[in-house]
Amino acid sequence: MAANKEERDITGLDQATDRKEAEYDLVKALLEASEFKTDEDAVQEVEIKRGGKYLFTVHLHPINEPDATMARKKSTVYMPNPNGKKLPPIEKERNTAKFNSWLIYLATTEEDQEKIWGNRAIMEKFNLAQPYESIDCLLTLGEKQKLVELVMDLSGLSDDEEEINEEEYAKN
């Protein structure tokens, strides 16, 4: 029976000489993993420049699946289910520009969300209702696309990493 327990224990706690120390290390590692949005090593600083002129800096961090789901929901128009009113609504159309703006907004540090995207002067000048809308006013299409790609890379969704993982998987 003890052998089966050791086989099922994937945390390594049963093999540790000092179980309390191992548990502490595991908890510490789990808490550290949960701080990816505020970890200085995970935050990428991006300078926005045009024609060699510095305009502003934005700080981006990885996003998680709930953030991506929220961006998707906020950028999708739903319609009643044609199979009946009791069934959940279905997607009618997704606004890709809005989705990308939400991804950038949710990946921006809280301080920059307020200071840059939620800047009161910009919001008033362009008559914006929500801070994420300022992204389309402040960034060119190319700048916006580069930021979306960076958010995907920071979040572990780059094409390069997928290819590496597929190669490693194929070897096993």
Side-chain angles (χ1 to χ4, degrees), residues 25-104:
D25 289 345
L26 175 63
V27 171
K28 183 179 175 186
L30 293 173
L31 291 172
E32 209 172 289
S34 71
E35 295 173 354
F36 64 90
K37 289 184 179 184
T38 56
D39 181 11
E40 289 181 20
D41 293 333
V43 175
Q44 180 82 35
E45 184 176 281
V46 180
E47 291 183 352
I48 304 298
K49 297 179 182 178
R50 290 194 198 127
K53 181 182 177 188
Y54 170 82
L55 299 172
F56 62 93
T57 300
V58 65
H59 299 84
L60 301 174
H61 58 70
I63 59 170
N64 56 16
E65 191 168 1
D67 289 340
T69 300
M70 179 180 159
R72 182 177 178 195
K73 284 182 180 180
K74 295 273 190 184
S75 61
T76 303
V77 175
Y78 295 89
M79 64 182 228
N81 194 318
N83 294 321
K85 292 181 181 180
K86 292 184 179 182
L87 297 173
I90 60 173
E91 288 186 17
K92 181 177 180 182
E93 179 182 355
R94 181 173 314 123
N95 183 329
T96 305
K98 192 174 182 180
F99 175 74
N100 288 340
S101 292
W102 270 108
L103 282 181
I104 293 168

Side-chain angles (χ1 to χ4, degrees), residues 88-142:
I90 60 173
E91 288 186 17
K92 181 177 180 182
E93 179 182 355
R94 181 173 314 123
N95 183 329
T96 305
K98 192 174 182 180
F99 175 74
N100 288 340
S101 292
W102 270 108
L103 282 181
I104 293 168
Y105 181 78
L106 293 171
T108 303
T109 60
E110 286 184 31
E111 181 181 342
D112 285 354
Q113 283 178 351
E114 293 175 26
K115 184 173 69 175
I116 297 171
W117 310 133
N119 185 291
R120 187 176 304 243
I122 297 299
M123 301 270 302
E124 288 175 6
K125 177 178 178 160
F126 295 104
N127 197 27
L128 304 174
Q130 296 186 31
Y132 85 91
E133 295 172 311
S134 67
I135 292 169
D136 285 326
C137 298
L138 299 174
L139 299 175
T140 65
L141 177 61

Side-chain angles (χ1 to χ4, degrees), residues 140-153:
T140 65
L141 177 61
E143 292 164 345
K144 185 175 175 182
Q145 190 60 41
K146 286 178 184 175
L147 290 183
V148 168
E149 290 172 9
L150 178 59
V151 169
M152 294 301 192
D153 288 347

